[in-house]
Amino acid sequence: MGKWLNAPDTLRFEVRGRVAYITFNRPEKRNAQSARCLRELNDALREADDLRSVHCVVLQGAGKDFCSGADISEGIEPGADGRRPYDPADYRGRTAFEDDVWHTRYGSNLRLDIFRMHKPVIAKVQGNCLAVGTDIAFNCDMVIAADDARIGFPAARSLGSPANHMWLYLMGPQWAKRLLLTGDVLRGRDAAALGLVMESYPPAELDAAVAVLADRIALGDPALLAAHKRVVNMGLELMGWETLQRFAAENDARAHLAEAPRAFFDLVKAEGVKTALQRRDAPYGHDEVQLRAARDNPETPQ
């Protein structure tokens, strides 16, 4: 297919005019991300960044969701015969803290390449954008969501802390804590009101709105676009972004030492992922945060 990307299994890559569309293509899994997905995403981003014809990138999900989170049903992918093509004992596991940090930072760096690449990236978010889905979306330069999209980090209740962290920069400390301490989610409309995403649109208008913005950005000279992106990113780095990302990955590994992740995965092994998720989330009941202005205006579509 290209210099960096060849016959990907988990995504589609298409160039329309001057815009590259990278589409997570696991709708049957609600675009949950495995290690293979992240590696193929990284290859697709490098392909788009290297292609002279591409000026802007849109990252999106096939089907109903942008990304429902990590595919916790998958470990390291086995070979075609169902067995691993190597001895796992020869490699780092996740039992030791330092090994867990190594794995977590590796995955984090794959996602951080979205932020670090030279060309602008727009995340088009529909349906669920949860957990690692937010790690991916918030590394994009702009996030455009459907009004009814569900955006949050429910995994904070049982699995760890975000290994990439843009929550503080996008919405400030109080709302960042409000969402991470509960694992609650926002609808796209409210996420836009709080600055977590840039804009939201009715679902039927989302594709067109993103295409118009991407095509407009793509009118620019790629060298100028890169200069504009990089100066804003440098401002974030001067505010501690680089240090915070490094700490966030280590902090996620530290969070894995809590009792809740161990109990969660014990339940997964005993009764399956679906049951484990249901038991984790049941005490929280309704998990959508609705802003007071929306609550006070019942005519506001949700």
Side-chain angles (χ1 to χ4, degrees):
M1 177 178 287
K3 178 179 177 182
W4 301 103
L5 185 66
N6 293 290
D9 293 325
T10 66
L11 57 80
R12 300 196 306 263
F13 185 95
E14 178 186 6
V15 178
R16 305 178 202 163
R18 296 176 175 179
V19 180
Y21 285 81
I22 299 173
T23 306
F24 300 133
N25 193 30
R26 306 179 83 207
E28 75 286 353
K29 292 266 190 176
R30 309 191 78 167
N31 295 319
Q33 296 290 294
S34 65
R36 182 187 297 277
C37 295
L38 289 176
R39 289 195 297 271
E40 291 190 349
L41 172 60
N42 188 258
D43 288 343
L45 294 169
R46 295 177 77 180
E47 182 75 12
D49 218 17
D50 203 3
L51 277 172
R52 293 183 184 275
S53 61
V54 172
H55 293 199
C56 182
V57 178
V58 172
L59 193 56
Q60 59 187 3
K64 296 180 179 180
D65 301 290
F66 175 77
C67 171
S68 62
D71 189 348
I72 58 177
S73 68
E74 291 189 11
I76 300 172
E77 298 93 343
D81 60 357
R83 295 175 297 180
R84 292 190 176 100
Y86 56 86
D87 185 350
D90 292 338
Y91 295 87
R92 293 179 186 264
R94 284 184 177 266
T95 303
F97 174 72
E98 183 59 29
D99 290 342
D100 195 10
V101 169
W102 186 91
H103 279 287
T104 304
R105 288 194 64 183
Y106 175 76
S108 170
N109 282 327
L110 291 178
R111 296 183 292 271
L112 293 179
D113 276 353
I114 305 170
F115 179 92
R116 292 171 175 150
M117 65 187 284
H118 289 218
K119 292 175 182 173
V121 184
I122 302 169
K124 188 188 80 178
V125 171
Q126 86 283 4
N128 286 308
C129 178
L130 304 176
V132 74
T134 64
D135 286 339
I136 293 169
F138 297 161
N139 271 302
C140 296
D141 301 293
M142 285 158 276
V143 183
I144 312 295
D147 288 341
D148 62 354
R150 285 171 42 86
I151 302 168
F153 211 98
R157 297 170 179 169
S158 63
L159 295 177
S161 186
N164 298 121
H165 191 93
M166 284 294 288
W167 299 80
L168 172 63
Y169 296 105
L170 293 172
M171 63 190 319
Q174 294 189 76
W175 271 106
K177 291 176 182 177
R178 166 68 179 84
L179 292 179
L180 295 179
L181 291 172
T182 61
D184 289 344
V185 301
L186 290 167
R187 288 290 183 173
R189 180 184 293 272
D190 288 338
L194 293 171
L196 192 60
V197 307
M198 190 175 78
E199 289 187 284
S200 75
Y201 290 88
E205 299 175 17
L206 182 63
D207 288 354
V210 171
V212 167
L213 176 61
D215 288 341
R216 185 170 180 82
I217 291 171
L219 293 172
D221 181 316
L224 284 175
L225 296 176
H228 300 323
K229 172 171 176 169
R230 290 168 74 180
V231 72
V232 176
N233 284 3
M234 179 58 71
L236 287 168
E237 290 183 24
L238 290 171
M239 288 187 271
W241 175 88
E242 188 77 45
T243 301
L244 185 59
Q245 303 317 307
R246 186 170 65 252
F247 176 76
E250 295 187 6
N251 190 58
D252 187 27
R254 186 172 292 107
H256 295 163
L257 299 175
E259 176 60 30
R262 291 193 291 271
F264 179 85
F265 281 111
D266 285 345
L267 188 56
V268 168
K269 293 177 182 177
E271 300 188 40
V273 173
K274 185 176 181 180
T275 297
L277 291 172
Q278 288 174 340
R279 289 196 186 178
R280 179 195 72 185
D281 295 335
Y284 291 88
H286 184 70
D287 67 351
E288 292 179 7
V289 179
Q290 189 176 6
L291 299 188
R292 182 173 180 179
R295 293 198 304 269
D296 292 346
N297 181 10
E299 300 301 318
T300 301
Q302 293 295 317

